[in-house]
Structures are given as structure tokens and as C-alpha cells.
Amino acid sequence: MSGLVTPPVAQPGPVAPSGDRDLMIEADDVTKSFGAVHALDSVSVGVPRGTVLGLLGHNGAGKTTLVNILTTALPLTSGRARVAGYDVAREPVEIRRRIGLTGQFASVDGQLSGRDNIVLIARLLGAGRRAAGARADELLELFRLTDVADRRASGYSGGLRRRLDLAVSLVGAPEVLFLDEPTTGLDPSSRLNLWEIVEGLVEQGTTVLLTTQYLEEADRLADSIAVLSAGRVVAAGTAAELKATVGRRTVTLTLDTGEDRGTAGAALRGAGFTPVNGEEDPRTVVVPIDATREIAEVVRTLDQVGVEATELTFGEPTLDDVYLALADQSAARTPV
Amino acid sequence: MTTQLTPAPRPAALRAAAGEAPVFGGSSLLTQIRILTGRSLRAMVTDPGIVLFGLIQPVVILFVLTQVFSKMGMPPHFPEGVTYLDYVLPAILVDNAAQSAMQSGVGLVEDQKNGMVARLRSLPVHPGALLAARSLVGLVRATVQVLIIMVLAITVLGYSPNGGVAELALSAGLTVFISFSLGWAFIAAGAWLRRAEPLQNLALIVIFPLMFASSAYVPVADLPGWLAAVANVNPLTYAIDASRALALDVPGLDHAIPSVVISAVIAVVGMVAALRGFRRPL
Ligand SMILES: Nc1ncnc2c1ncn2[C@@H]1O[C@H](COP(=O)(O)OP(=O)(O)O)[C@@H](O)[C@H]1O
Ligand SMILES: [Mg+2]
């Protein structure tokens, strides 16, 4: 069975752990079981200093579990993991001194003001009153929170709360930053603000592990990407490699009937496309394309076999497309 | 023509500690406890609702009981020369101690819910620091509440116990100590159960009836036989008797040592259990 796990991207991308590089995050065959649930199954990732690893996966893929293990919140069942050079099982305190975590759900004290939230963490990290205040001012400004700094965090909007949460995780100027779905539920402008901040951090040498369900986000921020599915790394490589696997864009065709899918699929394959049957709607076919002008080719191909599309939508690749393409690839490789 | 673009300078706040020692040097356990206690005290000052809410049950019981019972004849074993108000007030303080203790546990559960615990776990903060802070905050809250009840009773209801000022203070101190030890029991329950409802139910289903099956509102000798049997082994009876003996200068001081010992045992067992429960992964 383990043959199926082989990442379809052939080259050992920057994700493959290797001893001689300056890896700030290193997971080696990490397995985590909750009773009968195998949340992580032999996961190996490596993140060189100053780079971003995007961990892509749907709900339940195991992203949060891996983040929890690497941030020493959860013991692993088997395997080995190191962060900033320290072992998660044996040296958790050294790791905690060097990491920042923005969890999937905001961790701020609603009863305190935004400023007091930052000051509290700075003081716990050992800052004096004055140094904590200065750090709070810096971070409040950076995250455009100065105007609301003295209001209770319980009154903050979701976007404000997220920003405060991120500010709090940066208090100790961590070497390694973990961001668990940092932009889920954010409005586009807050999302952009967060992306820019992450880019700035990386420029300064911070190493980042970011989990996301958005291919677009991983593409923008990540130097390398690992796709997680049901606790396994099913693909790993650079964003470019992954997108090459997926096809840059997709056209989704809705046909009159499900039977038309066979005809359409055969014709499209004949024309050099790699169509995949849509999963949600039994009448849809998803066709990865390389350039916009290929849409015309798709429509013409259908026309030639007398199949009509009642609806045609054009989309940037999503995580679904990644999964579809990966499934398609492994199906193509499986000898019949 | 090309213009040389200079990258905008990055704000200092983004500096990473890459390769260097962490920017802040870490803090001792005592500092952590002090800071986390300060945090909750601050929340208590800006939102005194918690302190006042906890007072509702004891104060309502105090007013209702004194209004009702002062109109009725006293039971046969009632101590001589003592008004019902004087008699019941030490029990009210013990009831308040239990309510306040429950709030310590609820506070810990809230920290687990709002992500504070998850945050602290990713930091070099000792797990015991938050537990100790919750306990200390409970101590402050119980003290403030005892003072409020005493002032209310003296000024509004005319509470005038026979004991001296020092004995009165000792009696109040004993109830605060009981609140401290029950606080650890509730903190342990919060650390294991991680939900607020079971704690509130525990207070309602266990402590509320135990107050009636004790010397709180009626002398044990005047309770029906089975209730008296429960009351005689009920630790709350010891606590109330001791507190009452001090405040009113009536017999019962021999119950002081057992009540302190029982409380101390509850506190120690609670601390150990709380730490163990709290260390489990979220
Ligand atoms: N504490 C837990 N107990 C039991 N199962 C869990 C626990 N945490 C996570 N799981 C399971 O592990 C799997 C991975 O979960 P998670 O890491 O939260 O995924 P993701 O963050 O990618 O959505 C899921 O099937 C989830 O139900
Ligand atoms: Mg998750």
C-alpha cells in the first residue's frame, strides 16, 4: 500500500528532509493516532530557515494535529520532530521560547484591551513593564490596531481579532512562526494585509509553517507546499511544480446529462486535454487548461461530438483541483 | 529609463530573532503567577459583574432567611441570646465561599474556551502558573465578597455578633480559607471536565443540599434524625460551627482544627489533581 503514498512530484523538492541543510522545522515519519483515528500517518516535512512551507489540506486532513505536535502542545505517537534544532519531545521549553503560534481559533483574552493582550504576553516572556509597552506600540502600529488598542478585545470584529492574535504571536520575535489557517474567515483586505506581514517576516529571516485550504494563498506565500490528505503527504514540491501538476486554470462544463460525460471526456482526451469528472454534480466535467484561449478549443471539441454545455465556468485552480489532479495521476499510474 | 527601486524599510516590529537568543529572557514561575493574577484582577476591576453575580445567592438567602425566621419562634436547641441573623451569617459566608470557589473553576474553563490556555501552552509558561493565578484571584474575590456581606449585614440588617473584632476577623478568615481549598477542588474539576456546566451543577446539586444538611440554618440537634446524621459527617458543619463559634462566642470552637485540616487536605489533593488534569493535551 505504501507505494500509493509516493508523492507524484518526482524531484525531491525542498520539502524532503535532508541532514546537511539548516532546517528549522523537521518532521520525520511523524504518526499520531487518537484511538482508532490515524490523524497523521508517516508525515515527513522539512522547512529550511527563512522559508515558508504551505501545508494544504481540507478539513480533517491533519493540519492542526501537525501544528500541535510541532508547537509541543500534543505528544506524537511515533516518529521524530525538531523545531529550531530542538526535539519536540525532549526540549519543549527551548522550542516554546523560539516559536510563535497563531492557532486556527483566535486566542485572545476578550476581557483585556488589545494593548493589554500584547503586554501580558510580553511580560510573561520576561519583558519589563516599559519594554512590554514599547513592544505593544510597535505591534499595534504594524497591525493597524492603534485606534482600537484600548478597547476590550471582546468587542473586536473577526478581522481585528485575527490581527491581534497574530500580533500577540509575534511578541517574542519568534524564529519560527506557525499559522494555522490564518486567513480563514478574513475579508479580502485583511487577508492581503496579513500576507504582506508574513512576506515581511520572511524577508527578515523568519521561518513559517502555514496551513491553508486555499491554493492561491499557498501559491502566494509558500516556497514549498505539502498537500495533506487523510493524514498523509500526498504531494510535495514547489508551488510551480504543484501547479504544473494541476493545470494552471480549469474550465468546468455542465452537460445536459451524465451520459454525455463519457462522450465529452473521450473527445477532450483525444484533443490532448486531461478532463476529470466533477465530484459534486454528476453532469460536470473539469478540464485543466494552460491558457485562456484553450477555452475555445474545449468548446469546439465538444461541438464536434455534438455535446452541448449548458454552463461553462472558468476558475483559478483550487485545492479541489489539486486533489482531483493527484487522484487522476495516481489512477493513470496504476496498472490495469 | 529605469528607476532604481529601493525596498521600503521594514518596520522594526518585524525583526526576527533569527539565529539569536530570544528577545526576552523568560520569566520565573513566581513572576508568571503574579502577571497572570494581575491580568484576572484587572478584568475583575473593569468588569465587577463576576464579583457581584456571585453575591446574589448568598445575599438573597441571607435576606429571605432573616426576614422569614425572625418572625417565627426559634427551635428548641437554638443558642441563648443569639438572633437568627447572628446565627445564620457565618453560614452565609461559607455558602459564599463555595460559590466563589466554583467561579475559580469556571474561570479556568473560560481560559480553555477562549484560547488563552492554548496560547500559554505555546509559550515558555509553567502550566501551574495559570492554576495558581486562578486560585489567588479566587482568594481576592472571596475576601472582597466576605467584606461586602459583612458590611451589608452590619449596616442594613444590624448584625452585631458577640465575638470581638479579632474573632470576627478570624471567622471571616476561616471562610476565606475554605473558599481557597474548595477553589482548588473546582479548579481540578475544571481542568479535568473542561466545561462550565458540570461545575455549576456540582455547586447546585452537591453544595446547595449539603448546606441544608448541615448546621447552617438550624442547629443539628433540631434537624430530623437522618438529616442530622448527614450533618454530623458533613465537612460544611465543621466549617460553619467553627466560623460561628468564633464570631458569636458560642461553643463549637473544637470544630476549628478539623475544618482547617479537612480544607488543607482538599486544597492539596485539588492542586495535584488540577495540575495532572491541566497537563493533558487539549
Ligand atoms: N483530540 C482529538 N481526538 C480525536 N480525534 C481527533 C482529535 N483531534 C483531531 N482529531 C481527528 O484527526 C483528524 C485530523 O484533524 P485536524 O488535525 O484537526 O485536521 P485539520 O486541521 O486539517 O482540519 C480528524 O479526523 C479529526 O477528527
Ligand atoms: Mg485545523
Side-chain angles (χ1 to χ4, degrees), chain B residues 129-172:
Chain B
L130 182 65
L131 303 180
R134 278 288 163 204
S135 171
L136 289 176
V137 171
L139 206 59
V140 173
R141 183 182 47 239
T143 307
V144 170
Q145 288 174 333
V146 163
L147 288 176
I148 292 176
I149 294 176
M150 294 269 238
V151 168
L152 260 183
I154 291 169
T155 56
V156 179
L157 298 172
Y159 177 51
S160 58
N162 297 333
V165 174
E167 284 81 3
L168 205 58
L170 261 180
S171 153

Short mmCIF file of all heavy atoms in Angstrom, two decimals, chain B residues 129-172:
data_model
loop_
_atom_site.label_atom_id
_atom_site.label_comp_id
_atom_site.label_asym_id
_atom_site.label_seq_id
_atom_site.Cartn_x
_atom_site.Cartn_y
_atom_site.Cartn_z
N ALA B 129 1.28 27.94 36.59
CA ALA B 129 1.17 29.38 36.81
C ALA B 129 -0.27 29.86 36.68
O ALA B 129 -0.76 30.63 37.50
CB ALA B 129 2.08 30.13 35.84
N LEU B 130 -0.95 29.36 35.65
CA LEU B 130 -2.33 29.80 35.43
C LEU B 130 -3.23 29.28 36.55
O LEU B 130 -4.12 29.99 37.03
CB LEU B 130 -2.84 29.33 34.07
CG LEU B 130 -4.25 29.79 33.72
CD1 LEU B 130 -4.31 31.30 33.58
CD2 LEU B 130 -4.75 29.13 32.45
N LEU B 131 -2.99 28.04 36.97
CA LEU B 131 -3.81 27.45 38.04
C LEU B 131 -3.64 28.25 39.33
O LEU B 131 -4.61 28.60 40.00
CB LEU B 131 -3.42 25.99 38.27
CG LEU B 131 -3.49 25.07 37.04
CD1 LEU B 131 -3.07 23.65 37.41
CD2 LEU B 131 -4.90 25.06 36.49
N ALA B 132 -2.39 28.54 39.66
CA ALA B 132 -2.12 29.30 40.88
C ALA B 132 -2.75 30.68 40.79
O ALA B 132 -3.33 31.18 41.76
CB ALA B 132 -0.62 29.41 41.10
N ALA B 133 -2.68 31.27 39.60
CA ALA B 133 -3.26 32.60 39.42
C ALA B 133 -4.77 32.56 39.65
O ALA B 133 -5.34 33.41 40.34
CB ALA B 133 -2.94 33.14 38.02
N ARG B 134 -5.42 31.53 39.09
CA ARG B 134 -6.87 31.40 39.27
C ARG B 134 -7.21 31.24 40.76
O ARG B 134 -8.21 31.77 41.24
CB ARG B 134 -7.38 30.20 38.48
CG ARG B 134 -7.61 30.48 37.02
CD ARG B 134 -8.83 31.37 36.85
NE ARG B 134 -8.87 32.00 35.55
CZ ARG B 134 -9.53 33.13 35.29
NH1 ARG B 134 -10.16 33.78 36.26
NH2 ARG B 134 -9.55 33.64 34.10
N SER B 135 -6.38 30.50 41.48
CA SER B 135 -6.62 30.31 42.90
C SER B 135 -6.45 31.63 43.67
O SER B 135 -7.27 31.98 44.52
CB SER B 135 -5.66 29.25 43.43
OG SER B 135 -5.73 29.20 44.83
N LEU B 136 -5.40 32.36 43.35
CA LEU B 136 -5.15 33.62 44.05
C LEU B 136 -6.25 34.64 43.76
O LEU B 136 -6.68 35.37 44.65
CB LEU B 136 -3.79 34.19 43.65
CG LEU B 136 -2.58 33.41 44.18
CD1 LEU B 136 -1.28 33.99 43.66
CD2 LEU B 136 -2.59 33.43 45.71
N VAL B 137 -6.69 34.67 42.53
CA VAL B 137 -7.78 35.59 42.18
C VAL B 137 -9.03 35.22 42.98
O VAL B 137 -9.75 36.09 43.48
CB VAL B 137 -8.07 35.54 40.67
CG1 VAL B 137 -9.33 36.31 40.33
CG2 VAL B 137 -6.89 36.10 39.90
N GLY B 138 -9.26 33.92 43.13
CA GLY B 138 -10.39 33.45 43.92
C GLY B 138 -10.29 33.93 45.36
O GLY B 138 -11.28 34.31 45.98
N LEU B 139 -9.06 33.91 45.87
CA LEU B 139 -8.83 34.36 47.24
C LEU B 139 -9.22 35.83 47.39
O LEU B 139 -9.91 36.22 48.34
CB LEU B 139 -7.34 34.18 47.54
CG LEU B 139 -6.90 33.97 48.97
CD1 LEU B 139 -7.56 32.75 49.55
CD2 LEU B 139 -5.37 33.82 49.02
N VAL B 140 -8.81 36.62 46.42
CA VAL B 140 -9.14 38.05 46.46
C VAL B 140 -10.65 38.24 46.34
O VAL B 140 -11.27 38.99 47.10
CB VAL B 140 -8.42 38.81 45.32
CG1 VAL B 140 -8.90 40.26 45.25
CG2 VAL B 140 -6.91 38.75 45.51
N ARG B 141 -11.25 37.51 45.40
CA ARG B 141 -12.69 37.65 45.18
C ARG B 141 -13.46 37.27 46.44
O ARG B 141 -14.35 38.00 46.89
CB ARG B 141 -13.14 36.79 43.99
CG ARG B 141 -14.62 36.94 43.65
CD ARG B 141 -15.02 36.02 42.50
NE ARG B 141 -14.52 34.68 42.71
CZ ARG B 141 -13.72 34.05 41.87
NH1 ARG B 141 -13.35 34.61 40.75
NH2 ARG B 141 -13.28 32.83 42.15
N ALA B 142 -13.09 36.14 47.06
CA ALA B 142 -13.79 35.69 48.26
C ALA B 142 -13.64 36.72 49.38
O ALA B 142 -14.60 37.00 50.11
CB ALA B 142 -13.25 34.33 48.71
N THR B 143 -12.46 37.30 49.50
CA THR B 143 -12.25 38.30 50.55
C THR B 143 -13.13 39.52 50.34
O THR B 143 -13.78 40.02 51.27
CB THR B 143 -10.76 38.72 50.58
OG1 THR B 143 -9.96 37.54 50.69
CG2 THR B 143 -10.48 39.64 51.75
N VAL B 144 -13.15 40.00 49.09
CA VAL B 144 -13.98 41.18 48.79
C VAL B 144 -15.44 40.86 49.08
O VAL B 144 -16.16 41.67 49.68
CB VAL B 144 -13.79 41.59 47.31
CG1 VAL B 144 -14.81 42.65 46.90
CG2 VAL B 144 -12.37 42.09 47.08
N GLN B 145 -15.88 39.68 48.69
CA GLN B 145 -17.28 39.31 48.89
C GLN B 145 -17.62 39.20 50.37
O GLN B 145 -18.68 39.66 50.81
CB GLN B 145 -17.59 38.00 48.16
CG GLN B 145 -17.61 38.19 46.64
CD GLN B 145 -17.77 36.87 45.89
OE1 GLN B 145 -17.38 35.83 46.40
NE2 GLN B 145 -18.33 36.94 44.70
N VAL B 146 -16.72 38.61 51.15
CA VAL B 146 -16.96 38.50 52.59
C VAL B 146 -17.10 39.90 53.20
O VAL B 146 -18.00 40.16 54.01
CB VAL B 146 -15.80 37.72 53.27
CG1 VAL B 146 -15.81 37.96 54.78
CG2 VAL B 146 -15.92 36.24 52.96
N LEU B 147 -16.23 40.79 52.78
CA LEU B 147 -16.31 42.16 53.31
C LEU B 147 -17.63 42.81 52.93
O LEU B 147 -18.28 43.45 53.77
CB LEU B 147 -15.13 43.00 52.79
CG LEU B 147 -13.78 42.63 53.40
CD1 LEU B 147 -12.65 43.44 52.76
CD2 LEU B 147 -13.79 42.86 54.91
N ILE B 148 -18.05 42.63 51.69
CA ILE B 148 -19.31 43.24 51.25
C ILE B 148 -20.47 42.68 52.07
O ILE B 148 -21.33 43.44 52.57
CB ILE B 148 -19.55 43.00 49.74
CG1 ILE B 148 -18.52 43.77 48.91
CG2 ILE B 148 -20.96 43.43 49.34
CD1 ILE B 148 -18.61 43.52 47.41
N ILE B 149 -20.50 41.35 52.25
CA ILE B 149 -21.60 40.75 53.01
C ILE B 149 -21.60 41.26 54.46
O ILE B 149 -22.65 41.61 55.01
CB ILE B 149 -21.50 39.21 52.98
CG1 ILE B 149 -21.73 38.70 51.55
CG2 ILE B 149 -22.52 38.58 53.93
CD1 ILE B 149 -21.56 37.20 51.41
N MET B 150 -20.42 41.32 55.05
CA MET B 150 -20.33 41.79 56.44
C MET B 150 -20.83 43.22 56.56
O MET B 150 -21.61 43.55 57.47
CB MET B 150 -18.87 41.74 56.91
CG MET B 150 -18.32 40.35 57.00
SD MET B 150 -18.57 39.66 58.64
CE MET B 150 -16.88 39.32 59.05
N VAL B 151 -20.39 44.07 55.66
CA VAL B 151 -20.79 45.48 55.72
C VAL B 151 -22.29 45.60 55.54
O VAL B 151 -22.98 46.31 56.28
CB VAL B 151 -20.02 46.31 54.66
CG1 VAL B 151 -20.64 47.69 54.52
CG2 VAL B 151 -18.55 46.41 55.04
N LEU B 152 -22.83 44.85 54.55
CA LEU B 152 -24.28 44.85 54.33
C LEU B 152 -25.01 44.41 55.59
O LEU B 152 -26.00 45.04 56.02
CB LEU B 152 -24.62 43.87 53.21
CG LEU B 152 -24.87 44.43 51.81
CD1 LEU B 152 -25.28 43.29 50.87
CD2 LEU B 152 -25.95 45.49 51.84
N ALA B 153 -24.54 43.32 56.18
CA ALA B 153 -25.23 42.75 57.34
C ALA B 153 -25.18 43.71 58.52
O ALA B 153 -26.17 43.88 59.24
CB ALA B 153 -24.59 41.41 57.71
N ILE B 154 -24.03 44.36 58.71
CA ILE B 154 -23.89 45.26 59.86
C ILE B 154 -24.71 46.53 59.66
O ILE B 154 -25.46 46.96 60.53
CB ILE B 154 -22.40 45.59 60.12
CG1 ILE B 154 -21.66 44.34 60.62
CG2 ILE B 154 -22.27 46.74 61.13
CD1 ILE B 154 -20.16 44.48 60.65
N THR B 155 -24.60 47.13 58.45
CA THR B 155 -25.24 48.42 58.25
C THR B 155 -26.73 48.29 57.95
O THR B 155 -27.54 49.05 58.47
CB THR B 155 -24.57 49.20 57.10
OG1 THR B 155 -24.59 48.38 55.93
CG2 THR B 155 -23.13 49.55 57.44
N VAL B 156 -27.12 47.33 57.13
CA VAL B 156 -28.53 47.24 56.72
C VAL B 156 -29.34 46.39 57.69
O VAL B 156 -30.44 46.77 58.09
CB VAL B 156 -28.65 46.69 55.28
CG1 VAL B 156 -30.12 46.58 54.88
CG2 VAL B 156 -27.90 47.57 54.31
N LEU B 157 -28.81 45.23 58.08
CA LEU B 157 -29.61 44.30 58.86
C LEU B 157 -29.35 44.40 60.36
O LEU B 157 -30.13 43.86 61.16
CB LEU B 157 -29.35 42.86 58.37
CG LEU B 157 -29.75 42.58 56.91
CD1 LEU B 157 -29.28 41.21 56.49
CD2 LEU B 157 -31.25 42.71 56.73
N GLY B 158 -28.29 45.04 60.75
CA GLY B 158 -28.00 45.17 62.18
C GLY B 158 -27.31 43.96 62.78
O GLY B 158 -27.61 43.53 63.90
N TYR B 159 -26.36 43.40 62.06
CA TYR B 159 -25.59 42.26 62.55
C TYR B 159 -24.70 42.73 63.69
O TYR B 159 -23.95 43.70 63.55
CB TYR B 159 -24.76 41.71 61.39
CG TYR B 159 -23.82 40.56 61.71
CD1 TYR B 159 -24.28 39.42 62.37
CD2 TYR B 159 -22.49 40.60 61.30
CE1 TYR B 159 -23.42 38.36 62.62
CE2 TYR B 159 -21.62 39.54 61.55
CZ TYR B 159 -22.10 38.42 62.21
OH TYR B 159 -21.26 37.37 62.45
N SER B 160 -24.81 42.09 64.88
CA SER B 160 -23.95 42.50 66.00
C SER B 160 -23.56 41.28 66.81
O SER B 160 -24.15 40.98 67.84
CB SER B 160 -24.67 43.51 66.89
OG SER B 160 -25.88 42.94 67.36
N PRO B 161 -22.58 40.53 66.29
CA PRO B 161 -22.18 39.30 66.96
C PRO B 161 -21.50 39.58 68.29
O PRO B 161 -20.95 40.67 68.49
CB PRO B 161 -21.22 38.67 65.96
CG PRO B 161 -20.66 39.81 65.19
CD PRO B 161 -21.74 40.85 65.14
N ASN B 162 -21.49 38.56 69.16
CA ASN B 162 -20.92 38.74 70.49
C ASN B 162 -19.40 38.70 70.51
O ASN B 162 -18.77 39.22 71.42
CB ASN B 162 -21.45 37.66 71.44
CG ASN B 162 -22.95 37.78 71.60
OD1 ASN B 162 -23.50 38.89 71.45
ND2 ASN B 162 -23.63 36.67 71.87
N GLY B 163 -18.82 38.00 69.53
CA GLY B 163 -17.36 37.87 69.49
C GLY B 163 -16.70 39.21 69.27
O GLY B 163 -17.30 40.16 68.77
N GLY B 164 -15.41 39.30 69.64
CA GLY B 164 -14.67 40.53 69.45
C GLY B 164 -14.28 40.71 68.00
O GLY B 164 -14.54 39.85 67.16
N VAL B 165 -13.65 41.85 67.70
CA VAL B 165 -13.25 42.15 66.33
C VAL B 165 -12.25 41.12 65.81
O VAL B 165 -12.35 40.64 64.68
CB VAL B 165 -12.65 43.58 66.25
CG1 VAL B 165 -12.10 43.85 64.86
CG2 VAL B 165 -13.71 44.61 66.60
N ALA B 166 -11.29 40.75 66.66
CA ALA B 166 -10.27 39.79 66.24
C ALA B 166 -10.92 38.45 65.91
O ALA B 166 -10.59 37.82 64.89
CB ALA B 166 -9.22 39.61 67.34
N GLU B 167 -11.87 38.00 66.74
CA GLU B 167 -12.53 36.73 66.50
C GLU B 167 -13.36 36.78 65.21
O GLU B 167 -13.43 35.81 64.46
CB GLU B 167 -13.44 36.35 67.68
CG GLU B 167 -12.71 35.84 68.89
CD GLU B 167 -12.13 36.96 69.74
OE1 GLU B 167 -12.36 38.15 69.40
OE2 GLU B 167 -11.44 36.66 70.73
N LEU B 168 -13.99 37.93 65.00
CA LEU B 168 -14.79 38.12 63.79
C LEU B 168 -13.90 38.01 62.56
O LEU B 168 -14.25 37.35 61.57
CB LEU B 168 -15.46 39.50 63.85
CG LEU B 168 -16.75 39.65 63.05
CD1 LEU B 168 -17.77 38.64 63.50
CD2 LEU B 168 -17.28 41.08 63.21
N ALA B 169 -12.73 38.64 62.64
CA ALA B 169 -11.79 38.60 61.52
C ALA B 169 -11.31 37.16 61.30
O ALA B 169 -11.21 36.70 60.16
CB ALA B 169 -10.61 39.52 61.78
N LEU B 170 -11.04 36.45 62.40
CA LEU B 170 -10.60 35.05 62.28
C LEU B 170 -11.69 34.21 61.63
O LEU B 170 -11.42 33.36 60.77
CB LEU B 170 -10.30 34.49 63.66
CG LEU B 170 -8.84 34.46 64.09
CD1 LEU B 170 -8.72 33.86 65.50
CD2 LEU B 170 -8.01 33.66 63.10
N SER B 171 -12.92 34.45 62.04
CA SER B 171 -14.06 33.72 61.49
C SER B 171 -14.17 33.96 59.99
O SER B 171 -14.34 33.03 59.19
CB SER B 171 -15.32 34.16 62.22
OG SER B 171 -16.45 34.00 61.39
N ALA B 172 -14.03 35.24 59.59
CA ALA B 172 -14.07 35.56 58.16
C ALA B 172 -12.88 34.92 57.45
O ALA B 172 -13.02 34.36 56.35
CB ALA B 172 -14.06 37.08 57.96
#
